[in-house]
Amino acid sequence: MRVVAVLLALAGIGHAEVAKKDREAATKSSKHPAPPAPGTRPVPLVNLFNEHTHEWLAVDPAALAANTDHFLRDHYTNKAIAMDPRLVPIVVAAAQHFKIDTVTIVSAFRHPKFNLILRKKGHQVARDSEHTHGNAIDFFLATIPTPQLDAWARAQKKGGVGIYLQSGFVHMDTGPLRHWSGD
Ligand SMILES: [Zn+2]
């Protein structure tokens, strides 16, 4: 049992290191946007709320430079990973589209160890989930019906989209384009 957990952890770390380098390169190459001209109205901040840690993080949609990896960490192991830098801009864009100031994050990085525990408990979790690679985010916007958010998410064509109607959230990842429904 312990050997399995250690191997999973090692596999996770190895992958994380490779992905991190790619992502750091991607972050460095993106130019910081120019500040708004004097007299122009600033873009309203979007608040991210982490349902598990109850932490809040205000992000500026005009300058998404803040490192959100720690905020989006696995709450079970308290470990972070280099998240795909495309994810936070996607959920911020959703908030802007629906004119909502808060995005509630249900799940982002999921350590392989925690993912395995969820699977053993019978949760709707894939074995090699995009969450374990830092490529997925589950979220909802409090006053927006889940099917509406799902329709918006699919229209973005950024990767996989899953709608969880009973649970009331949408999964988005940066993997291949696909769509599914869960509970
Ligand atoms: Zn998910």
Side-chain angles (χ1 to χ4, degrees):
M1 261 314 294
R2 181 167 289 171
V3 174
V4 172
V6 170
L7 285 175
L8 277 168
L10 287 173
I13 289 162
H15 182 93
E17 275 171 2
V18 173
K20 198 179 171 208
K21 272 182 200 157
D22 291 344
R23 282 159 195 176
E24 277 172 357
T27 311
K28 272 177 197 157
S29 64
S30 67
K31 291 221 166 57
H32 197 276
T40 55
R41 181 192 283 266
V43 180
L45 297 178
V46 172
N47 304 303
L48 305 182
F49 175 65
N50 184 318
E51 205 177 51
H52 290 288
T53 61
H54 288 198
E55 289 172 359
W56 290 86
L57 184 71
V59 296
D60 181 355
L64 286 166
N67 189 325
T68 52
D69 293 343
H70 178 74
F71 180 78
L72 299 173
R73 70 193 179 277
D74 173 61
H75 70 276
Y76 183 79
T77 59
N78 210 35
K79 293 223 161 46
I81 197 173
M83 296 292 294
D84 189 315
R86 291 171 289 183
L87 290 168
V88 167
I90 289 172
V91 301
V92 166
Q96 289 183 301
H97 174 78
F98 289 104
K99 297 180 168 46
I100 298 280
D101 66 5
T102 299
V103 177
T104 304
I105 311 292
V106 177
S107 179
F109 173 50
R110 217 179 269 153
H111 193 280
K113 210 186 280 179
F114 180 51
N115 200 63
L116 190 65
I117 288 167
L118 288 178
R119 275 179 66 78
K120 283 182 176 166
K121 283 184 179 170
H123 286 269
Q124 323 169 67
V125 169
R127 187 163 52 90
D128 189 33
S129 165
E130 294 284 357
H131 285 280
T132 64
H133 301 298
N135 295 336
I137 204 160
D138 297 341
F139 69 106
F140 64 85
L141 305 174
T143 54
I144 305 302
T146 314
Q148 273 192 46
L149 183 58
D150 174 60
W152 178 88
R154 290 164 77 168
Q156 305 313 301
K157 303 203 183 303
K158 302 280 190 193
V161 174
I163 177 171
Y164 293 81
L165 257 186
Q166 282 175 41
S167 309
F169 67 81
V170 165
H171 161 112
M172 287 185 83
D173 65 55
T174 52
L177 282 184
R178 60 216 192 285
H179 185 257
W180 66 89
S181 307
D183 299 331

